[in-house]
Amino acid sequence: MTQSDEKPNRPEPEVSRVGAPFWEAAGNKKLLIQHCKACNENIFYPRIRCPKCHREELDWIEASGKGVIYSYSVVLNNAPSGFLADMPYVVAIVRLEEGVQMLSNIVDCDPDTIHCDMPVEVVFREVGKFTLPLFRPAEQI
Amino acid sequence: MSRLKGNIAVVGIGEVPTGRYPERDCMDGCVTSAVQAIADAGIDKNEIDCVVPCGTVFSGAYNSDLVTSRVVEELGLSRVHNNVQVFSGGASSASMLKVAGSLVQSGMARHVLCVHSEKLGTGLSGQAGIDLFALAGIHREWEVPFGQHYSTIAGLVTTRYKYETGTTDEQITAVQVSNRKWAELNPNAMFRKPLTVEEVMKSKMLATPIRAKHSNMLADGAAAFIVTSAERAKDLTETPVYVLGSGGRVTHHSLSQEADITRFGYAEAAADAFEEAGLSPKDIDIAEIYDSYPIFEIIALEEMGFVERGKGGAFFLEGRTWPGGELPTTTNGGMSSQGHTGGGGGFAILVEAVRQLMGKAEKRQVPDARFAAVTATGGTYVDAQVEILGNEIS
């Protein structure tokens, strides 16, 4: 999947009040995660209150963008309408260094080379008027 | 621990065939299965004082009808105190049994009609069905934009499970074959022709490693059951099916937020249910396990303690779950063979457990079955629900 293959009919995120700063930062190629000043918990996805301590003192930290693939699946047929033009595409759960998990896509590689626990790094791609944080294989540390 | 053990019974069931029935309105199945259940229970229709309709997803307008007591009106029920919709996706049957049982146990209701009907097979076009299940229960800000849908959800779980346990695609596929062996004996099942591992492995790859024949098929279907007190059940039937133990764990909403996608909450839920029932896995005669994709049947059997972690796929492949096997499993054929009717997937499995324990399962009857373990889960496998049922009080 390359940028030129992206179709505008891919569904865009329904941006929430608390998620808006994340999407704005992604537009500037920064991967933000929430952080609770009260209990020091790193949080993704962004929440209204800290899910651990329920306090509201939440700020943002910039993630390193590095993580590993917890699991993945390569979509070859019967995708949702907005993704038919993107097939084959790779859905993955990525575990970031900061200890949170996020759903994303793995790009810039042969899907057959992907495996669980593979190191990945963030890469930003424009889809419609949004910039999505996606991941590509990283150099072995 | 709940106070339902031995106090609550299911005394009647009804079900219409699952499949594609364009001429059958959703309400047709609802009314037909409810009338069957009332007759099976041997009660007068006006003894029903509470109706619990399951939610539906194929039509918001139809669901509004259910919320606003259309079932009461259609059935001409004159003494209903409350119409209470209960909906937890595929886990609705577990929630409905708990709610109905609690209403009876508290004295708020005496005879509760629980009913489900869906029209996912013919109420939606093929791509509309795919698109509905690319949104239903999937986070619209953090997962939908990345192409998550139910095939990738099953793909993510299966990929990690294979990685951690070394289970093969052939072993995972054996679940479909086992379910089909049972469906061959079930006149209400959508798919009844014999199925082989090779046939599944040759079917189209959807989202690795999930192939078309690893998937369930969206279908039309309906079923119903009647819940009353154990005391009242003695007047009605010689085969009441008692609620002996219940457990449940909600672990996430979005699959990406689940800490261990190879286990979920079945171990804890089953421990609670078995403790309440005073039973253990070795006492169970039938495992009625919610499938929807084969991996979830394997994970549930392992986590509940029926088979060692990583050995579930081989357990299916060796035929130990088949008719005549040591642990008859998902004896209606599951959603892969009976068909996927939304909230009705778990509902059909619960009704099948009751049918087996009543001795009414005909060609697929498990001889001398006393105790069954029943599971259900909703949405993106957000919860693990376990019920222990029996035709005697443990």
Side-chain angles (χ1 to χ4, degrees):
Chain A
M1 188 170 67
T2 64
Q3 191 170 341
S4 61
D5 289 332
E6 299 285 0
K7 297 293 186 235
N9 63 348
R10 189 169 153 152
E12 293 179 342
E14 283 187 14
V15 178
S16 60
R17 177 183 62 80
V18 293
F22 173 92
W23 295 109
E24 191 182 332
N28 296 319
K29 302 196 174 184
K30 286 187 177 175
L31 182 65
L32 297 189
I33 62 172
Q34 251 179 342
H35 170 258
C36 178
K37 288 194 277 190
C39 77
N40 209 31
E41 182 84 346
N42 289 336
I43 302 161
F44 188 85
Y45 53 89
R47 305 294 163 89
I48 296 156
R49 297 252 183 166
C50 173
K52 189 174 176 192
C53 73
H54 286 190
R55 302 279 285 272
E56 281 186 294
E57 292 88 345
L58 302 172
D59 60 3
W60 297 90
I61 59 173
E62 185 173 355
S64 68
K66 294 186 188 303
V68 296
I69 294 173
Y70 176 45
S71 194
Y72 69 97
S73 179
V74 186
V75 182
L76 298 168
N77 283 291
N78 294 22
S81 290
F83 293 87
L84 289 170
D86 285 349
M87 293 189 300
Y89 68 96
V90 183
V91 173
I93 299 171
V94 175
R95 285 182 159 165
L96 297 182
E97 281 184 341
E98 291 77 11
V100 297
Q101 292 183 178
M102 64 185 293
L103 195 80
S104 187
N105 301 127
I106 307 299
V107 295
D108 299 346
C109 65
D110 175 355
D112 290 343
T113 64
I114 297 172
H115 58 85
C116 290
D117 294 339
M118 182 183 212
V120 289
E121 62 190 13
V122 74
V123 54
F124 293 91
R125 293 288 154 81
E126 287 177 23
V127 176
K129 60 180 189 291
F130 282 85
T131 302
L132 300 185
L134 308 182
F135 289 82
R136 66 184 177 202
E139 296 298 316
Q140 297 285 341
I141 302 163
Chain B
M1 201 181 292
S2 89
R3 291 194 293 274
L4 298 188
K5 180 186 174 182
N7 292 319
I8 298 300
V10 180
V11 291
I13 53 172
E15 185 175 64
V16 300
T18 302
R20 298 179 63 83
Y21 295 93
E23 74 289 353
R24 192 171 80 192
D25 287 342
C26 203
M27 189 52 73
D28 291 352
C30 184
V31 167
T32 303
S33 59
V35 167
Q36 286 174 3
I38 293 165
D40 192 38
I43 56 172
D44 183 90
K45 73 179 169 73
N46 290 323
E47 290 185 275
I48 292 170
D49 47 14
C50 182
V51 173
V52 180
C54 182
T56 61
V57 294
F58 92 99
S59 159
Y62 177 81
N63 197 57
S64 297
D65 294 353
L66 297 176
V67 168
T68 52
S69 301
R70 184 167 160 200
V71 176
V72 178
E73 186 170 277
E74 291 279 355
L75 291 171
L77 307 180
S78 61
R79 291 178 198 161
V80 171
H81 301 183
N82 294 98
N83 178 85
V84 185
Q85 184 165 76
V86 173
F87 196 28
S88 313
S92 297
S93 49
S95 299
M96 293 165 86
L97 185 62
K98 285 171 183 160
V99 168
S102 299
L103 288 170
V104 169
Q105 179 66 9
S106 71
M108 292 287 288
R110 194 138 189 259
H111 305 96
V112 183
L113 167 64
C114 297
V115 62
H116 167 267
S117 186
E118 255 295 0
K119 207 165 166 61
L120 287 171
T122 60
L124 297 166
S125 74
Q127 189 65 39
I130 291 172
D131 290 344
L132 175 69
F133 282 90
L135 287 173
I138 299 177
H139 205 299
R140 289 180 298 283
E141 186 169 13
W142 306 108
E143 294 208 350
V144 168
F146 300 98
Q148 180 83 302
H149 55 292
Y150 281 83
S151 297
T152 53
I153 287 164
L156 290 163
V157 172
T158 308
T159 298
R160 185 71 196 188
Y161 176 87
K162 284 173 62 183
Y163 178 75
E164 291 194 11
T165 66
T167 297
T168 66
D169 286 319
E170 183 190 30
Q171 289 167 335
I172 289 164
T173 301
V175 175
Q176 305 304 83
V177 173
S178 175
N179 289 354
R180 185 62 58 87
K181 297 247 179 218
W182 287 104
E184 286 173 39
L185 307 173
N186 178 6
N188 283 350
M190 189 174 188
F191 299 107
R192 303 182 56 204
K193 287 185 194 159
L195 183 72
T196 63
V197 167
E198 295 70 31
E199 201 178 334
V200 177
M201 294 301 290
K202 273 193 277 184
S203 67
K204 182 167 72 171
M205 186 69 86
L206 304 183
T208 60
I210 304 301
R211 294 177 181 273
K213 289 186 178 175
H214 288 127
S215 299
N216 53 77
M217 182 68 80
L218 295 177
D220 308 333
F225 60 87
I226 308 282
V227 176
T228 190
S229 65
E231 191 184 347
R232 172 66 174 142
K234 285 180 205 152
D235 306 333
L236 296 171
T237 174
E238 291 180 0
T239 56
V241 172
Y242 301 102
V243 178
L244 302 177
S246 301
R249 286 293 186 283
V250 178
T251 52
H252 63 275
H253 166 72
S254 311
L255 188 76
S256 61
Q257 300 307 305
E258 167 64 50
D260 189 343
I261 64 170
T262 69
R263 293 181 187 270
F264 305 105
Y266 287 101
E268 297 84 354
D272 287 353
F274 281 125
E275 186 187 353
E276 183 181 358
L279 296 172
S280 73
K282 66 176 170 17
D283 299 310
I284 298 298
D285 301 302
I286 310 173
E288 299 289 4
I289 307 297
Y290 185 105
D291 58 332
S292 80
Y293 292 91
I295 191 63
F296 300 105
E297 220 170 308
I298 292 173
I299 289 173
L301 271 195
E302 291 180 354
E303 294 297 305
M304 291 169 72
F306 289 104
V307 56
E308 198 182 323
R309 165 117 167 147
K311 303 283 175 63
F315 193 74
F316 282 93
L317 190 63
E318 290 159 8
R320 293 157 79 177
T321 56
W322 295 4
E326 67 190 76
L327 183 66
T329 299
T330 311
T331 63
N332 68 340
M335 297 159 86
S336 63
S337 283
Q338 175 154 342
H340 182 343
T341 58
F347 205 106
I349 287 166
L350 175 63
V351 165
E352 173 70 7
V354 173
R355 186 186 287 120
Q356 287 279 0
L357 293 170
M358 285 178 162
K360 295 175 179 173
E362 299 180 344
K363 284 184 182 169
R364 62 188 187 286
Q365 180 65 45
V366 176
D368 307 317
R370 295 191 301 159
F371 302 118
V374 189
T375 72
T377 174
T380 65
Y381 311 93
V382 303
D383 58 346
Q385 299 296 337
V386 178
E387 313 294 327
I388 309 296
L389 305 180
N391 52 23
E392 58 184 77
I393 296 171
S394 53

